[in-house]
Amino acid sequence: MRTQVAIIGGGPSGLLLSQLLHRIGVEAVVLERQTRDHVLSRIRAGVLEKGMMDLLRQAGVDDRARREGLPHDGVVLSYDDDRVRIDFAEHIDQPVTVYGQTEVTRDLYDAAEARGTTVLHEVSDVELHDLDEDTPYVTFMHDGQEKRIDCDFVAGCDGFHGVSRKSIPDDVRRDYEKIYPFGWLGLLSETPPVHDELIYANSGRGFALCSMRSPHLSRYYVQCRLDDRAEDWSDEAFWAELKRRIPSEFAEKLVTGPSIEKSIAPLRSFVTEPMRWGRLFLCGDAAHIVPPTGAKGLNSAASDVHYLFEGLSQWYRDSDAEGVDRYSERALDRVWKVERFSWWMTSLLHRFPDQTDFDLKMQRAELLYLRDTPAAQEALALNYVGLPY
C-alpha cells in the first residue's frame, strides 16, 4: 500500500489531520488500534477553543458543533464561598464552545466515511521504519496478515502509550514530566447542570468542577486520592462530597441522579522534545499531556494539527520545506505556554499534601487578586479561550 501521509491513531487529532489533508488533495491512511465503537465510547472533556472551532470549519465538519454546541462567555472560579466570574465577552470578545470530544470524533468519523478515507481498525504490532530517510514506511498486522504502507511522512497521533514517540531514539528525545499527587473522580449523569457556566472550585476538602455536555447531561469531578477506586464511591457519597466543595449558592440547587459513568483519571504534565524526527511528526498526547484543569488536552492537539497541516500544505502545494522543518519549534512554543496555564490552574485550585498555611493563604490571595484586577482576568480569559496559533 502507498499513501502520502500515514497517520498513526484514529482519535480526533488523527482524523482531523486526515480530513484537512483530503481537502487539499493529499492522500492519507489512518491506522487505529481499537475498534470504532471503542474510540467513540471514550468519555472526554468538551470545551473547544475558538482555534479548534475554526479548524473544524476549515475541515468542513463544524455544522453540528455550531448547531448543538453551547457557547460560553465566561467561567466561575471559587475559593470556599468567595468567587469570581471571568467574563470572556468583556475581556476578549470570544467564547468557548461546550461540545463533547466524543461528538467531535463522531463527526470526523462520519466525514471520513463520506469521503472514503482509509481508516484501518484493530491494527497491531505497528512499527515505523526509516524515519530518518526520504522513504519511510510502516508495518503492522491487520486481519491476521502483515501489511506495509510506504509513505512520504508519518504523523504520530497515537497517544501517550503509542509507538510513535518511542520511535524517536533515546539519545535524541528528551522528556519532561510532573506527576500530581491526586486524581479526578468524574461522574456523568442525566441531570441539568447546576450552572450555565463551568465552576472551578477550591475548598478545604479539595478541588471540584461542575461541567456539562448538554442542557440535560452533566459532568462533575472531585479531587481524590490516587489510590481511590471509582467503585468504592457510591453515587450518594459523590454527590455529598461535591456539595461540600462548591459554593453554597450552587450546592443548594444541585440536582442529583444516578451515574451513567464514573471513573478516576490521574493528573500529569508531560512534554517530549523534539516533536519531529526525520519524517515523523508527533501530535497531541503522543508529544504532550496537560492536567484537565483548563480543558486544554484536545485543544492543544488541535494546535499541533494546525502547524503540521500548514507545513504539509507548503510541502505539497509549493515544494517548500519551511513549515515542515519548523513544525517542532512552532508547536512547542505554544505547547509550553499551554502547559504553563494548565499547571497554574492546577496549582491554584487543588489541595496538595505538602501545602503549608502560607501556601493556602497564597491560593486565596491569588483568587482575590483575580477578582479585583481586570488585567489578571483578561490574561486568564485569553489563555482559557485559547492563545492564537
Side-chain angles (χ1 to χ4, degrees), residues 70-189:
L70 305 175
H72 277 203
D73 287 322
V75 68
V76 175
L77 278 66
S78 71
Y79 193 111
D80 295 329
D81 276 342
D82 291 328
R83 60 189 180 94
V84 57
R85 178 179 181 267
I86 308 300
D87 190 325
F88 304 151
E90 175 187 347
H91 291 296
I92 55 175
D93 196 25
Q94 289 180 5
V96 293
T97 301
V98 173
Y99 186 68
Q101 180 173 323
T102 301
E103 302 310 311
V104 172
T105 309
R106 192 184 309 279
D107 295 341
L108 289 165
Y109 262 126
D110 290 346
E113 287 185 356
R115 71 178 186 264
T117 296
T118 301
V119 181
L120 301 180
H121 290 92
E122 298 182 88
V123 304
S124 61
D125 301 322
V126 175
E127 294 187 19
L128 314 182
H129 306 269
D130 292 351
L131 296 170
D132 56 347
E133 304 289 340
D134 292 339
T135 54
Y137 65 97
V138 181
T139 58
F140 58 97
M141 295 294 297
H142 186 244
D143 288 339
Q145 298 181 346
E146 184 174 351
K147 299 184 179 181
R148 168 173 169 157
I149 297 178
D150 293 279
C151 54
D152 300 329
F153 300 101
V154 178
C157 306
D158 51 346
F160 183 77
H161 299 289
V163 68
S164 297
R165 185 181 71 257
K166 300 168 188 175
S167 297
I168 299 178
D170 290 343
D171 61 348
V172 173
R173 190 184 78 241
R174 182 170 182 184
D175 297 339
Y176 303 84
E177 185 173 38
K178 177 177 178 60
I179 303 294
Y180 296 88
F182 41 73
W184 278 17
L185 170 65
L187 180 146
L188 188 68
S189 64

Side-chain angles (χ1 to χ4, degrees), residues 165 173-176 270-275 282 286-287 332:
R165 185 181 71 257
R173 190 184 78 241
R174 182 170 182 184
D175 297 339
Y176 303 84
F270 176 85
V271 180
T272 195
E273 296 184 357
M275 288 175 58
L282 303 181
L332 282 168

Side-chain angles (χ1 to χ4, degrees), residues 276-297:
R276 178 217 177 176
W277 184 65
R279 293 296 181 103
L280 169 67
F281 305 88
L282 303 181
C283 285
D285 286 359
H288 46 80
I289 293 175
V290 291
T293 330
K296 293 303 173 191

Side-chain angles (χ1 to χ4, degrees), residues 42-79:
R42 298 167 179 161
I43 303 296
R44 295 290 188 270
V47 177
L48 308 184
E49 297 177 354
K50 178 183 182 298
M52 177 66 177
M53 292 295 291
D54 289 345
L55 273 181
L56 292 176
R57 176 186 51 78
Q58 187 178 355
V61 291
D62 65 325
D63 285 352
R64 196 161 71 97
R66 295 194 184 278
R67 185 174 64 250
E68 300 179 12
L70 305 175
H72 277 203
D73 287 322
V75 68
V76 175
L77 278 66
S78 71
Y79 193 111

Side-chain angles (χ1 to χ4, degrees), residues 173-248:
R173 190 184 78 241
R174 182 170 182 184
D175 297 339
Y176 303 84
E177 185 173 38
K178 177 177 178 60
I179 303 294
Y180 296 88
F182 41 73
W184 278 17
L185 170 65
L187 180 146
L188 188 68
S189 64
E190 290 182 334
T191 55
V194 70
H195 189 51
D196 56 2
E197 295 176 342
L198 273 66
I199 302 169
Y200 291 86
N202 182 339
S203 79
R205 299 182 65 89
F207 168 80
L209 170 61
C210 301
S211 183
M212 71 285 292
R213 294 291 177 268
S214 75
H216 310 289
L217 191 63
S218 298
R219 183 73 167 167
Y220 296 104
Y221 300 90
V222 295
Q223 177 183 345
C224 65
R225 293 162 52 97
L226 284 175
D227 57 359
D228 277 356
R229 300 186 307 165
E231 55 267 31
D232 292 336
W233 281 79
S234 68
D235 290 355
E236 293 75 14
F238 179 91
W239 292 121
E241 189 60 32
L242 178 65
K243 287 181 178 180
R244 295 185 188 104
R245 298 188 185 193
I246 62 178
S248 55

